Amino acid sequence: MMKFEKDDAGTRTVDIGRGCVFGGPRLVIIAGPCTVEDRVQTLEIAAAVKEAGASMLRGGAYKPRTSPYAFQGLHEEGLAILAEAREQTGLPVVTEVLESADLTKVSAVADMLQIGSRNMHNSVLLQAAGRTGKPVFLKRGMSARIEEFLLAAEYVLETGNKNIVMCERGIRTFETATRFTLDLSAIPLLKQRTWIPIAVDPSHGTGMTSLVPPMACAAAVCGADAVMVEVHGHPDKALCDGDQSETPEMFYRMIKELQNITRAIGRTV
Ligand code: PEP
Ligand code: MN
């Protein structure tokens, strides 16, 4: 029997601390910039998402970019900014680790280690991240099947680390109207197969800001335990992923919608 397989206990909780628990009655909202661009930008967004009701801060210090000429992140300086944002807001931080060599530096700041879509198949990194004992936020490879996604999670579990959350973030299909095709059916399907809490990222999943709130609501209805979204004070000026980032005002309105939806399905935000 695989370690990810569900038993009678259903979804297990993953407790990050600072009041952030995945897999409980409360839908976890993770929000923040795609990338940590500078100190002021990050602290402002962190304060705004906290105020609106987010329970975790996201932001990349090490960015996996398609082009080698695109902004690659502030690295250590970005981690220090995230640590300050956590200090100011009390929000726990999830941030991506791109390679095993960075694990010590990233784990020193992150409350949760993100393994990105492009690294889902990197079994060596999955094992190394698992061995840190830190909670792991594992994103689905953009061309990964559900079975491959579950086996990637198994690499983390096999190290003895049970603190893992799996995140649907859109897959490659023939459709080009959206950046990826958000696979909502993955949510109930994964929940049938595993006890691991499931998150959804409608920002990367669609690539379009206008689609983020409806897909976040749909994810909640499909049983997601968490929603991860990108928020930026000035999406038109964002260094990365402005087209899919919500302003703090849009984020605030989305939280209100999610409050109404979760009330109807016996959960809270
Ligand atoms: C991210 O969440 O910062 C990110 C790069 O997402 P993904 O790995 O899903 O592309
Ligand atoms: Mn992004």
Side-chain angles (χ1 to χ4, degrees), residues 3-269:
K3 296 183 194 314
F4 67 71
E5 277 173 44
K6 194 171 173 177
D7 56 24
D8 295 341
T11 302
R12 288 190 215 157
T13 55
V14 172
D15 191 343
I16 308 298
R18 297 180 183 249
C20 179
V21 181
F22 290 88
R26 188 164 173 205
L27 179 73
V28 172
I29 311 286
I30 309 163
C34 177
T35 180
V36 175
E37 296 175 10
D38 61 58
R39 182 174 172 273
V40 172
Q41 169 245 16
T42 306
L43 295 181
E44 280 178 4
I45 297 171
V49 300
K50 161 82 185 185
E51 172 78 22
S55 33
M56 187 175 234
L57 178 66
R58 63 147 288 140
Y62 295 82
K63 293 303 299 177
R65 301 306 300 279
T66 302
S67 165
Y69 305 114
F71 180 63
Q72 306 284 314
L74 293 178
H75 298 179
E76 276 108 321
E77 191 190 338
L79 292 175
I81 293 169
L82 286 170
E84 189 177 351
R86 176 183 44 208
E87 220 43 59
Q88 285 197 3
T89 59
L91 291 175
V93 166
V94 58
T95 193
E96 179 159 356
V97 59
L98 276 180
E99 58 165 327
S100 302
D102 296 332
L103 269 170
T104 309
K105 278 181 289 194
V106 178
S107 311
V109 167
D111 297 279
M112 190 171 206
L113 297 169
Q114 181 166 321
I115 308 267
S117 186
R118 290 154 190 82
N119 262 324
M120 188 214 79
H121 291 288
N122 186 344
S123 53
V124 175
L125 179 61
L126 292 168
Q127 288 170 321
R131 282 195 294 266
T132 66
K134 282 266 170 185
V136 172
F137 191 85
L138 176 63
K139 299 190 84 173
R140 180 179 184 178
M142 57 187 78
S143 300
R145 296 199 169 119
I146 294 291
E147 201 62 29
E148 294 166 322
F149 191 16
L150 285 165
L151 287 170
E154 187 77 8
Y155 268 104
V156 176
L157 295 174
E158 185 263 330
T159 68
N161 187 342
K162 290 193 175 61
N163 291 320
I164 178 168
V165 171
M166 298 171 73
C167 180
E168 161 60 34
R169 49 79 70 211
I171 51 174
R172 276 271 156 82
T173 68
F174 57 82
E175 182 57 74
T176 56
T178 48
R179 186 177 178 190
F180 295 97
T181 297
L182 187 66
D183 182 8
L184 287 173
S185 65
I187 310 163
L189 183 54
L190 285 167
K191 295 209 64 105
Q192 284 166 25
R193 296 283 310 276
T194 183
W195 52 267
I196 299 172
I198 305 302
V200 174
D201 174 353
S203 304
H204 291 92
T206 64
M208 293 165 71
T209 307
S210 62
L211 302 184
V212 171
M215 290 297 102
C217 291
V221 171
C222 289
D225 298 293
V227 170
M228 170 183 264
V229 295
E230 292 184 333
V231 176
H232 196 284
H234 305 278
D236 51 325
K237 297 201 181 78
L239 291 182
C240 180
D241 288 350
D243 289 346
Q244 64 193 38
S245 296
E246 296 182 283
T247 61
E249 294 72 30
M250 291 170 184
F251 177 67
Y252 180 81
R253 285 198 297 274
M254 184 185 80
I255 295 262
K256 295 285 154 213
E257 276 182 71
L258 283 169
Q259 280 167 350
N260 290 332
I261 299 265
T262 49
R263 200 172 300 126
I265 57 173
R267 287 184 109 167
T268 56
V269 173

